Amino acid sequence: VCVCVCVCARVPVSVCLCVVDLVCFAFGCASSPVLTPPSPSHTHNTAAAFFVTYEGTKGFLGKQLPEHMAPVAHMGGACAGEVVAGLVRIPFEIVKQQMQANIHPSPTAAVRAIMATHGPRGFFKGYLSMVSREVPFSLIQFPLYEQLKVSWGAYRRRMGQEPGLQSWEMACCGSLAGGFSAAVTTPLDVAKTRILIAQDGSSVMAAMRNVYVNEGWRALYSGIAPRVMWISLGGAIFFGVYERSKVMLSGVV
Protein backbone atom coordinates (compact mmCIF):
# COMPACT_ATOMS: atom_id res chain seq x y z
CA VAL A 1 0.00 0.00 0.00
CA CYS A 2 2.79 2.40 0.89
CA VAL A 3 4.45 1.77 -2.50
CA CYS A 4 1.15 2.38 -4.31
CA VAL A 5 0.64 5.58 -2.31
CA CYS A 6 4.11 6.85 -3.17
CA VAL A 7 3.66 6.05 -6.86
CA CYS A 8 0.06 7.16 -7.34
CA ALA A 9 -0.43 10.01 -4.86
CA ARG A 10 -0.27 13.59 -5.94
CA VAL A 11 1.99 15.60 -3.70
CA PRO A 12 -0.64 18.26 -2.86
CA VAL A 13 -3.09 15.60 -1.69
CA SER A 14 -0.48 13.90 0.45
CA VAL A 15 0.58 17.17 2.04
CA CYS A 16 -3.05 18.08 2.70
CA LEU A 17 -3.66 14.75 4.39
CA CYS A 18 -0.69 15.22 6.72
CA VAL A 19 -1.94 18.67 7.73
CA VAL A 20 -5.51 17.50 8.20
CA ASP A 21 -4.63 14.32 10.09
CA LEU A 22 -2.47 16.17 12.59
CA VAL A 23 -5.24 18.71 13.20
CA CYS A 24 -7.84 15.96 13.69
CA PHE A 25 -5.51 14.02 15.98
CA ALA A 26 -4.79 17.14 18.02
CA PHE A 27 -8.52 17.68 18.52
CA GLY A 28 -8.98 13.99 19.32
CA CYS A 29 -11.71 13.50 16.74
CA ALA A 30 -12.29 11.74 13.44
CA SER A 31 -14.30 12.51 10.35
CA SER A 32 -15.20 8.91 9.75
CA PRO A 33 -14.22 5.38 10.72
CA VAL A 34 -11.27 5.86 8.42
CA LEU A 35 -9.79 8.19 11.04
CA THR A 36 -10.18 6.66 14.47
CA PRO A 37 -6.47 6.28 15.19
CA PRO A 38 -4.41 5.08 18.12
CA SER A 39 -1.51 7.13 16.75
CA PRO A 40 -0.81 9.90 14.23
CA SER A 41 1.20 7.54 12.00
CA HIS A 42 -1.76 5.20 11.80
CA THR A 43 -4.15 7.90 10.66
CA HIS A 44 -1.63 9.21 8.09
CA ASN A 45 -1.26 5.79 6.50
CA THR A 46 -4.98 5.03 6.57
CA ALA A 47 -6.10 8.42 5.26
CA ALA A 48 -3.44 8.43 2.54
CA ALA A 49 -4.43 4.94 1.39
CA PHE A 50 -8.11 5.88 1.40
CA PHE A 51 -7.92 9.23 -0.36
CA VAL A 52 -5.37 8.20 -2.98
CA THR A 53 -7.66 5.31 -3.91
CA TYR A 54 -10.82 7.41 -3.58
CA GLU A 55 -9.59 10.30 -5.72
CA GLY A 56 -8.06 7.99 -8.32
CA THR A 57 -11.13 5.78 -8.66
CA LYS A 58 -13.52 8.73 -8.61
CA GLY A 59 -11.53 10.48 -11.32
CA PHE A 60 -11.40 7.37 -13.48
CA LEU A 61 -15.10 6.61 -13.15
CA GLY A 62 -15.97 10.28 -13.61
CA LYS A 63 -14.42 10.18 -17.06
CA GLN A 64 -16.30 7.02 -18.01
CA LEU A 65 -19.74 8.04 -16.76
CA PRO A 66 -22.05 10.89 -17.78
CA GLU A 67 -22.26 13.90 -15.50
CA HIS A 68 -25.64 12.97 -14.03
CA MET A 69 -24.11 9.72 -12.75
CA ALA A 70 -21.44 11.49 -10.69
CA PRO A 71 -22.77 9.96 -7.43
CA VAL A 72 -21.94 6.52 -8.84
CA ALA A 73 -18.33 7.63 -9.31
CA HIS A 74 -18.27 8.94 -5.74
CA MET A 75 -19.67 5.67 -4.40
CA GLY A 76 -17.22 3.60 -6.43
CA GLY A 77 -14.31 5.67 -5.16
CA ALA A 78 -15.50 5.42 -1.58
CA CYS A 79 -15.94 1.66 -1.82
CA ALA A 80 -12.49 1.11 -3.30
CA GLY A 81 -10.93 3.47 -0.77
CA GLU A 82 -12.38 1.60 2.19
CA VAL A 83 -11.22 -1.77 0.88
CA VAL A 84 -7.63 -0.52 0.58
CA ALA A 85 -7.64 1.54 3.79
CA GLY A 86 -8.97 -1.46 5.72
CA LEU A 87 -5.80 -3.39 4.95
CA VAL A 88 -3.83 -0.65 6.70
CA ARG A 89 -6.20 -0.05 9.58
CA ILE A 90 -7.29 -3.49 10.79
CA PRO A 91 -3.92 -4.58 12.30
CA PHE A 92 -3.90 -1.42 14.44
CA GLU A 93 -7.52 -2.07 15.44
CA ILE A 94 -6.69 -5.62 16.54
CA VAL A 95 -3.82 -4.47 18.74
CA LYS A 96 -5.82 -1.52 20.09
CA GLN A 97 -8.79 -3.68 21.06
CA GLN A 98 -6.58 -6.15 22.92
CA MET A 99 -4.81 -3.34 24.72
CA GLN A 100 -8.12 -1.76 25.75
CA ALA A 101 -9.29 -5.12 27.07
CA ASN A 102 -6.08 -5.38 29.19
CA ILE A 103 -5.18 -8.65 27.50
CA HIS A 104 -1.56 -7.59 26.95
CA PRO A 105 0.66 -5.13 28.84
CA SER A 106 2.09 -3.42 25.76
CA PRO A 107 1.60 -3.17 21.99
CA THR A 108 4.79 -5.15 21.43
CA ALA A 109 3.50 -7.97 23.61
CA ALA A 110 0.20 -7.92 21.77
CA VAL A 111 1.90 -8.16 18.37
CA ARG A 112 4.09 -11.05 19.51
CA ALA A 113 1.15 -12.92 21.04
CA ILE A 114 -0.97 -12.52 17.92
CA MET A 115 1.85 -13.74 15.69
CA ALA A 116 2.56 -16.72 17.94
CA THR A 117 -1.08 -17.73 18.24
CA HIS A 118 -2.62 -16.96 14.86
CA GLY A 119 0.23 -15.97 12.57
CA PRO A 120 -0.08 -13.05 10.11
CA ARG A 121 -3.77 -13.84 9.58
CA GLY A 122 -4.43 -12.88 13.18
CA PHE A 123 -3.82 -9.23 12.33
CA PHE A 124 -6.68 -9.29 9.83
CA LYS A 125 -9.33 -10.91 11.99
CA GLY A 126 -12.59 -9.09 11.39
CA TYR A 127 -11.34 -7.44 8.19
CA LEU A 128 -14.40 -8.42 6.16
CA SER A 129 -16.75 -7.35 8.93
CA MET A 130 -14.96 -4.02 9.28
CA VAL A 131 -15.05 -3.38 5.53
CA SER A 132 -18.71 -4.34 5.43
CA ARG A 133 -19.29 -1.68 8.10
CA GLU A 134 -17.04 1.00 6.58
CA VAL A 135 -18.22 0.64 2.98
CA PRO A 136 -21.87 1.48 3.75
CA PHE A 137 -20.70 4.46 5.82
CA SER A 138 -18.61 5.88 2.98
CA LEU A 139 -21.23 5.01 0.37
CA ILE A 140 -23.50 7.38 2.28
CA GLN A 141 -21.02 9.99 3.50
CA PHE A 142 -19.03 10.90 0.40
CA PRO A 143 -21.83 11.11 -2.19
CA LEU A 144 -23.85 13.08 0.39
CA TYR A 145 -20.90 15.40 1.05
CA GLU A 146 -20.36 15.99 -2.65
CA GLN A 147 -24.07 16.61 -3.23
CA LEU A 148 -24.30 19.00 -0.30
CA LYS A 149 -21.45 21.03 -1.79
CA VAL A 150 -23.19 21.14 -5.17
CA SER A 151 -26.52 22.14 -3.62
CA TRP A 152 -24.91 24.81 -1.44
CA GLY A 153 -23.05 26.18 -4.47
CA ALA A 154 -26.31 26.34 -6.43
CA TYR A 155 -27.94 28.19 -3.54
CA ARG A 156 -25.08 30.73 -3.54
CA ARG A 157 -25.58 31.31 -7.26
CA ARG A 158 -29.30 31.93 -6.75
CA MET A 159 -28.40 34.48 -4.10
CA GLY A 160 -26.07 36.24 -6.53
CA GLN A 161 -22.90 35.08 -4.79
CA GLU A 162 -19.83 33.27 -6.07
CA PRO A 163 -20.57 29.52 -6.38
CA GLY A 164 -17.30 28.56 -4.69
CA LEU A 165 -17.83 27.52 -1.06
CA GLN A 166 -15.96 28.96 1.87
CA SER A 167 -14.04 26.65 4.20
CA TRP A 168 -16.67 26.90 6.93
CA GLU A 169 -19.40 25.99 4.45
CA MET A 170 -17.54 22.86 3.34
CA ALA A 171 -16.96 22.06 7.00
CA CYS A 172 -20.72 22.20 7.58
CA CYS A 173 -21.29 19.88 4.63
CA GLY A 174 -18.74 17.44 6.03
CA SER A 175 -20.30 17.59 9.49
CA LEU A 176 -23.82 16.92 8.20
CA ALA A 177 -22.71 14.11 5.93
CA GLY A 178 -20.63 12.48 8.65
CA GLY A 179 -23.28 12.77 11.36
CA PHE A 180 -26.04 11.33 9.19
CA SER A 181 -23.85 8.46 8.01
CA ALA A 182 -22.76 7.71 11.58
CA ALA A 183 -26.35 7.45 12.77
CA VAL A 184 -27.42 5.14 9.94
CA THR A 185 -24.47 2.77 10.34
CA THR A 186 -24.39 2.54 14.14
CA PRO A 187 -25.75 -1.06 14.17
CA LEU A 188 -22.87 -2.11 11.92
CA ASP A 189 -20.41 -0.41 14.27
CA VAL A 190 -21.87 -2.27 17.24
CA ALA A 191 -21.57 -5.56 15.34
CA LYS A 192 -17.96 -4.81 14.38
CA THR A 193 -17.01 -4.11 17.99
CA ARG A 194 -18.62 -7.34 19.20
CA ILE A 195 -16.78 -9.34 16.54
CA LEU A 196 -13.38 -7.82 17.32
CA ILE A 197 -13.59 -8.58 21.04
CA ALA A 198 -15.20 -12.03 20.63
CA GLN A 199 -13.32 -15.27 20.12
CA ASP A 200 -15.63 -16.69 17.44
CA GLY A 201 -15.70 -15.81 13.77
CA SER A 202 -19.21 -14.42 13.62
CA SER A 203 -20.36 -12.52 10.56
CA VAL A 204 -21.78 -9.01 10.75
CA MET A 205 -25.34 -10.23 10.22
CA ALA A 206 -24.92 -12.97 12.83
CA ALA A 207 -23.53 -10.49 15.35
CA MET A 208 -26.39 -8.07 14.72
CA ARG A 209 -28.93 -10.86 15.05
CA ASN A 210 -27.40 -12.02 18.35
CA VAL A 211 -27.49 -8.49 19.75
CA TYR A 212 -31.11 -8.03 18.65
CA VAL A 213 -32.28 -11.39 20.05
CA ASN A 214 -30.43 -11.19 23.36
CA GLU A 215 -30.50 -7.45 24.10
CA GLY A 216 -33.20 -5.91 21.93
CA TRP A 217 -33.10 -3.42 19.07
CA ARG A 218 -32.01 -0.56 21.31
CA ALA A 219 -28.67 -2.31 21.86
CA LEU A 220 -27.97 -2.03 18.13
CA TYR A 221 -27.86 1.73 18.62
CA SER A 222 -25.67 1.73 21.71
CA GLY A 223 -23.41 4.76 21.71
CA ILE A 224 -25.21 6.48 18.83
CA ALA A 225 -25.13 9.91 20.48
CA PRO A 226 -21.36 10.11 21.13
CA ARG A 227 -20.69 8.42 17.79
CA VAL A 228 -22.71 11.02 15.88
CA MET A 229 -21.18 13.90 17.86
CA TRP A 230 -17.67 12.52 17.43
CA ILE A 231 -17.91 12.01 13.68
CA SER A 232 -19.86 15.23 13.07
CA LEU A 233 -17.16 17.26 14.79
CA GLY A 234 -14.45 15.32 13.01
CA GLY A 235 -16.19 15.80 9.67
CA ALA A 236 -16.30 19.55 10.15
CA ILE A 237 -12.62 19.76 11.07
CA PHE A 238 -11.39 17.23 8.53
CA PHE A 239 -13.24 18.39 5.43
CA GLY A 240 -12.91 22.05 6.31
CA VAL A 241 -9.16 21.88 6.82
CA TYR A 242 -8.68 19.45 3.92
CA GLU A 243 -10.45 21.66 1.40
CA ARG A 244 -8.75 24.79 2.72
CA SER A 245 -5.34 23.10 2.57
CA LYS A 246 -5.91 22.13 -1.06
CA VAL A 247 -6.64 25.75 -1.93
CA MET A 248 -3.66 27.09 -0.02
CA LEU A 249 -1.22 24.52 -1.40
CA SER A 250 -2.49 24.41 -4.97
CA GLY A 251 -0.30 27.33 -5.99
CA VAL A 252 2.66 26.29 -3.88
CA VAL A 253 3.23 22.57 -4.50
Side-chain angles (χ1 to χ4, degrees), residues 38-64:
S39 68
S41 60
H42 170 209
T43 188
H44 292 163
N45 295 336
T46 304
F50 177 87
F51 273 98
V52 167
T53 307
Y54 172 72
E55 295 288 350
T57 305
K58 182 182 72 172
F60 173 78
L61 293 177
K63 296 177 181 178
Q64 310 300 319

Side-chain angles (χ1 to χ4, degrees), residues 126 128-133 136 184-196 200-214 216 220:
L128 292 179
S129 65
M130 187 189 73
V131 170
S132 66
R133 188 279 309 263
V184 173
T185 58
T186 296
L188 297 176
D189 184 59
V190 172
K192 186 270 302 184
T193 301
R194 299 297 179 92
I195 291 171
L196 284 177
D200 55 12
S202 301
S203 65
V204 173
M205 295 305 298
M208 292 176 62
R209 183 170 57 252
N210 289 337
V211 172
Y212 174 76
V213 171
N214 297 323
L220 291 172

Side-chain angles (χ1 to χ4, degrees), residues 54 71 74-76 78-79 82 133-148 173-174 176-186 188 227 239:
Y54 172 72
H74 300 153
M75 289 188 288
C79 181
E82 290 293 1
R133 188 279 309 263
E134 313 296 11
V135 167
F137 181 96
S138 291
L139 286 177
I140 298 171
Q141 183 188 36
F142 284 90
L144 180 58
Y145 171 67
E146 300 285 357
Q147 186 57 46
L148 285 172
C173 292
L176 291 173
F180 179 80
S181 303
V184 173
T185 58
T186 296
L188 297 176
R227 173 175 164 80
F239 285 108

